[in-house]
Every structure is written in structure tokens, then in C-alpha cells.
Amino acid sequence: MALPSDGRRPALRVAGVVKRFGATVALDGADLDVAEGEVHALIGENGAGKSTLLSVLAGLLRADAGTLEIAGQPYAPIAPRDAREHGIALIHQELSLFPHLSVAENVVMGREPARHGAFDWAAARRRTLEVLEEFGHPEIDPSTRVDALPIAARQVVEICRAVASRARVVLMDEPTSSLQRPDVERLFRLIRRLAAAGTAVVYISHFLEESREVSERFTVLRDGRTVATGPLAETTNDALITAMVGREVSELYPRRSPAAPSPPLLEMSNLVAPPAVRSASLSVRPGEVLGVFGLMGSGRTETVRALFGLAPAESGTLLLRGQEEAVTGGSPARRIRQGVGYVSEDRKGEGLALSLSVADNVTITRLASCTRMGILDPGRQRRDAEVAAARVGVKASSVLQPVRTLSGGNQQKTALARLLHQDADVLLLDEPTRGVDIGSKAQIYEAIAAIAAAGKAVVFVSSYLPELLGLCDRLAVMSRGRLSAARPVAEWTPESALEAAIAP
Amino acid sequence: MRASFRNAVARLAPVVGLLVVILVFAVGTGAPERYLSTNNLRVVFAQTVIVALGAIGMTVIVVSAGIDLSVGSTIALTGVVAAMLLRAGQAPWIAMAAAVLCGGLVGLLNGLAITRLKVVPFIGTLGMLGIARGAAKWVAGQEAVYPPATWINELAVTVPTPPWLVFAPGVWMSVVLALVMAVVLRRTVFGRRVFALGSSEAAARACGIATDRLKIQIYALAGLFFGLAGVVQMSRLRLGDPTVAAGTELDVIAAVVIGGGSLNGGEGGIVGSMIGALAMAFLRNGTQQMGWPNYVQEIIIGVIIVGAVAADRLRHGGE
């Protein structure tokens, strides 16, 4: 029904797939149909369930309900090896290569040529060279260690692995997020060649234009459910975005009144923090939300980390409330005393103590305020945490609930609530909506707007352009370690921001 | 280019370390001709055998990003098993095979605990450290087991019985096994999968490698070597002592780390580990010849272990 009408055979069919993680429903009836030789764009907001769906297809996760078919045959993978045997190859968002091993080993891993158990290097080399040549990269030496290759070449290696395994369905999860434009074009040529050979390709990208460039048809996921599908040529970007967001875009972002002109709360000039940050200057006023856009590896995260004292800065100047502060040798403890707060992009690794309660997580930076003569007052801690959690709309049965048991959205809101309890004047938010459902996103945007309206200064770092354009007052773009001057968002278009982000 | 240079440095570092140790003590003892005499080399090599055999097994584990803390206890248990079978009148080769298999069984249990019970290797094998030690004391009835004299006792003597061997049979056995395992680790599908597992477990899974089964194989294989080390331990003492080899796991891990193994997995090699084991043996021997008390030797070895790991971290600083 949803396949192209030219009679090509179905390669992949997904019907009604459900996947839950504890309290979170990641997939809630996802459907997807892809024909042989088709490039299919899987579109959706962060947290819509795209990556989860690919993980289910690749056998990394098991679906709780629903059916899968490969070339018309039922398919129920319980391990990645099942996926491989059925000709499914997943190319990850984060590259999944073996950095310590050679290109050839990476390409043949899992189906190594062998004679009596001995790894056949000559055959591995030959097969790898064949595939590399087929894809126009004979310059990559199969015996190089992967950690000695540049990122773009590593991606070629990943794709070659999929090709060498004779995959019938190739799943690509944001393959362009770490690529420069010429490499993106090379990747698209690879994808077209794969499709021409009859392989079905499912392609996830944040960028609609990119999806249009390479895909025939699309499927939109929202909150784990398929909400639209059809040929890309017959739909507009506005229609796609409305399907992704589930409401008019204008309703997602709160209306904000411009901040009154005032001297900047934080002013940072010429921050240098090698290797990732070559030069970054920014200033933010009370009541303002400053957006920082950048692709993966642009140095956007490293900039705020260096500013917060989590990574060493080499040089630069920093003015807080007009007072000069040392930018080198800063530590998070000192920045917190100075009224700066930080939400990490790595929620699970760095942002939260998952095994501790919401109350512990919210109050940890200013725990002294919950003590009486040096002894923690649990009642006070609990009340303080409840106040902060309520302001951002954390949904939990109680603030004593461990953060681990919350959904991604509520975890992220907990991280934000910590800054409220800390009563930070400058908030550094790195990807605060990553992996979060639409409802929580809207709440986080509301909370950020309210924080700004209360006279705080917000630096909002993201790789997701629409939210930056929707919420921020001004936007600066990071590219290869350099941060552009900030301009009012009205002066940016998605195209101009993207161009600035991939500028050499 | 830079990565390959770094790798070359990493590969040469253990050799340089070994040469430095030898040089320091050759000069320090004031009698290089005695320190490097055939006789002293015989002593050093014979003393190396136990740690070297352990390090062969441990290298496989460390490359896979695992760890095994139960080596010392396994050596005691398997030594006791060999001694008891000899005492019961079994043929030496049966006693030896049984001890090796017993070591493999301990490793298998480690592997099962790590994969089936999802216990991290550090804790799983820490538990086994206690279990195997307790089992050794239990089967030995809490006392040393005295076996009759057999050729097993000659495995790691300082001066071998057919003098043309120059070094003890156990030394040659270790050399052969090290070479075999070096080939297995570098040149077989199994070995490359061990590296893949240590380099990135998630990617290994995604490549269709049955990572759990591979881990079980790795720990069981390493256990066989620990069992063999137990036989050599018994051979050197000429008795099965259930309290012997406490702390040997640290020497074994140190040998692997000094030899270039990374506790983060993905790196390491048998040859390097053998050099690491030798460096430690030369160090021990040298401090003894200098007449330094035992504690100096312990402190030096401790410092070297931390230094080797710190060097490893520095090497990976840019990543």
C-alpha cells in the first residue's frame, strides 16, 4: 500500500512496532515500508524514536510488539548476528569501528576469511580493496589502523563494511553529522550506487534538504508513531515540520518579549582551548537567550565546557557582571560560586547521578542551603527540590524517586531544575532537549523562556537548528573551533546557518 | 603518521625498559659478568616461568578489556590438585593434564559469572580469588600435600638434567607456548575478535560476534595457562601448598601492562608481556644480588606498575 507504485518488491516492512524502556515509550506503533533499491528518509524530531527503530531492525533491541518482514519473510531478530544474516547493516550515528584494528579487519569483522581458523590476511586485504575501489576510495590502505584515518575516511570504511557483507537493507543513522560538505556529496554518491544495485537504504538526517537530495520517499515518526509517509516530491517542508512537531511550529516555541537593553552579564573574548576551540567570543545580557549552533566536532560543547572550567582554557578574557575573572585555571566549583550553571549534553554520563533521587540531583550544587548546622535536613532538601522541580514540570511520583526510573524528558528537566535551585544567573545549556519527547521539549522551552524573563542570561548550545531559531534572541555559529559573531535570529535562515556551520 | 610513530614507540618501550633494568643492575652489582652469566640467567629464567605462563593467559584477557584477579588462587588450587593426584599414584602427565583442566574450569566459571550473571570482571574474579583459595585449602585438608618425586619436579629447576638443554624444560615450554599464543592472538579469527572485543564491545556485537561466548572462551583459555602455572609452582616447591602464590595476580597483570597491554582493552601482545615478565624477574634478581631488603623490591615494582599505566595513559592522551 505504501510502497512505490512501479512494482518494485518490498525489501523491508515494519508494522506496529512497540518498544518501551521502563516508563518511557520509545516506539508506539511505528510503521515503515521500503522497496528494493529505494532510499527512504526517516524523519522526526530528536526523541521521536528513529534511532530506536533502527536499533530494533539491527537486532540491538527487541521489540515488545509488532511485526517485521525482510523481503516478504517474517523477521524477528534477537541479536545483531540475526540482522547480519538477514542482510541488514546499520551505520551508526557514532561510528562503530574498532579504532585499534586495521581497515581490512574492520571491513571483514564478523565474517572473516579464514583457513583452518587462521585469519586470511591476503583474502581480507583483497576483499577490502575490491570494495574500496568499487566506491572510489582506492587511496585508503587496508592495512592502516583506523585510528590513524580522518573521520570522513572512517565513514567510508563503515559503509564498505555494510557493502562487503552484501547487505540488502542498509540503515544509516545521521551519517552526515560528522562530515564536511564534499564528503556529504561523496556519501550521497555512495548511497545512490548502493540503491542502483538494488539495496534498500533507510536514511535518517536532521536536515530536510539533505533528505530531499538523496531520498525518494519519507516516513515521519512522532513520539514513536508513524504519522505520515509518501513521496518527498509531493510534500512541502512546512507540511513535514508540522507532521514532525504535531502542531504548527509557531505553537512549539513560547512567545518572548525582547530583553531590555543592558550591559552584558557575561562577556567572553577570544577563548582558546586547544584542540577543539580555536577562537570563541560571546556575550549575553540579562533576559537574553543566546544560541550557539554547530555540527558534531565543531567545538560547540568544548567551548561551554572550557567556559565552565570543565576543560582547560589556554587564553581568553572573561567578564562576569563587568568584573574580570580568570578564564584559565577555572574550575566548576569557582564558576558555580560566580553564579554560572551548566547542563551537560551527556545526561547519563555527566549530567545526572542516575542512581540518586531527583531531590539529591536537584540540590547537589547548593546542598549547603539544605543543612542545619552542617547536618542535612531531608525535609528541607525535599521541599526545595519540589519547588525547583515543579518550576520546570518534572513528572515523578515523588522527588525521592531515583532519576534512573524517569523518562528522558523528565531526566533532562531534573538537570534544568538543578540550575534553578542553584539560582544561577548565567545558564550554559548544552543540548538540553536531546533525546526528549515533544511534550517535554515544549516544557523545556517554556522553562528557558521563563528563566530569561526573570532576568537570567542563557547560552543555549544545540545541533538542532529549528529550536535555536525558534527560541533564541541571537545566534552564533561554531565551525571548526571558531565561533562567528552573534546576530539576531531574524537575520539567519536555516540555509545561512548551515552554510556557516560547514564553512571551512 | 603520528599514530604509527606512537605505536612504534609503544612497541619498543618494554624492550627499552628491560634493557634499562639489566643495565642498571649489571652496573649496580659491580659484576656484570656474574649478573649476566649463564648461571644467573638460568636462575632468572626459571623464576620467570610461573609469571610468564600466567601472563600469556592474562594478555588475552587484558586485550579483551577484561581482568582476572583469581590467578594466584588458581595457581594454588591447581598445584594442590596436581600434588594430590601424584600422591594418589597417578601418572605425572595425568596429574599435569588434570591441573591444567582444573585451571580451565576455574576460568570457565569466571567467564560464566561475567556473562551470565553480568558481574563485572573485576568483581567476578575477585570473588573467585576467595573461592579458589578456599577450595585449595579444603581439598588439601588445610596442609601442604607432598607428592612423590617425578619428572614434574624437574620442570623449572635451575640446572636442567640433560645439561645440553641449558635452560629448564619449563623455560622452553613457556617459550613455545608464548610463540603459539602470539600467533593465535595475531593471526587467527579468534585472536582478532579478542582485539575487536577489547577495542569496542558495542561494535563487536553489532558485527555479529557472539561477545558472551567469546568472553567465556577467553577466560577458560587463560585458566588453562594459570593451571599450567600451578603445575610449575608445585614443581618448584616440590609440594602442593594451598597458601602459595598469594598476590601473584599482581605480578602477572604488571607483566602484561609493562609489556604494552592497555587495561582499557584493544592493545597488548604476548611478546611484550613476556618481556614485561622478564623485566620483573631481572628486577627481583638484581635487588636480591644488591642485598636490598625485600620491601625495596616491592616498592620499586609498585612504582613501575603505576609508571607503566601512567605511560599508557599519556600515550592515549590525545584520544
Side-chain angles (χ1 to χ4, degrees), chain B residues 14-15 59 178-179 181-183 185-186 255 259 268-278:
Chain B
V15 181
T59 304
L179 291 176
M181 284 305 292
V183 171
L185 207 51
R186 293 198 166 276
I270 302 285
V271 176
S273 298
M274 293 303 98
I275 292 169
L278 269 181

Side-chain angles (χ1 to χ4, degrees), chain A residues 58-61 78-82 84 92 96-102 105-106 109-114 116-121 145 147-148 161, chain B residues 1 3-4 6-7 11 186-190 192-193 195-210 213 264-267 316 319:
Chain A
L60 292 164
L61 295 172
I78 53 172
R81 55 186 321 154
D82 296 329
R84 271 176 89 87
H92 273 276
S96 67
L97 293 171
F98 306 103
H100 300 95
L101 303 188
S102 69
E105 284 175 276
N106 269 281
M109 187 55 70
R111 35 178 74 223
E112 303 92 331
H116 316 298
F119 189 96
D120 189 342
W121 288 90
R145 260 172 69 135
D147 55 8
R161 175 154 78 195
Chain B
M1 207 48 203
S4 58
R6 268 212 315 254
N7 288 337
R11 217 162 291 152
R186 293 198 166 276
R187 297 271 148 170
T188 64
V189 171
F190 167 78
R192 299 326 287 171
R193 288 185 171 189
F195 275 93
L197 175 65
S199 182
S200 168
E201 182 169 353
R205 243 169 72 74
C207 281
I209 294 171
R213 203 168 64 204
N264 297 322
E267 285 184 55
H316 294 95
E319 284 159 29

Side-chain angles (χ1 to χ4, degrees), chain A residues 142-164:
Chain A
S143 51
T144 321
R145 260 172 69 135
V146 161
D147 55 8
L149 289 177
I151 279 280
R154 293 185 200 190
Q155 190 137 36
V156 172
V157 175
E158 277 236 51
I159 293 168
C160 285
R161 175 154 78 195
V163 175

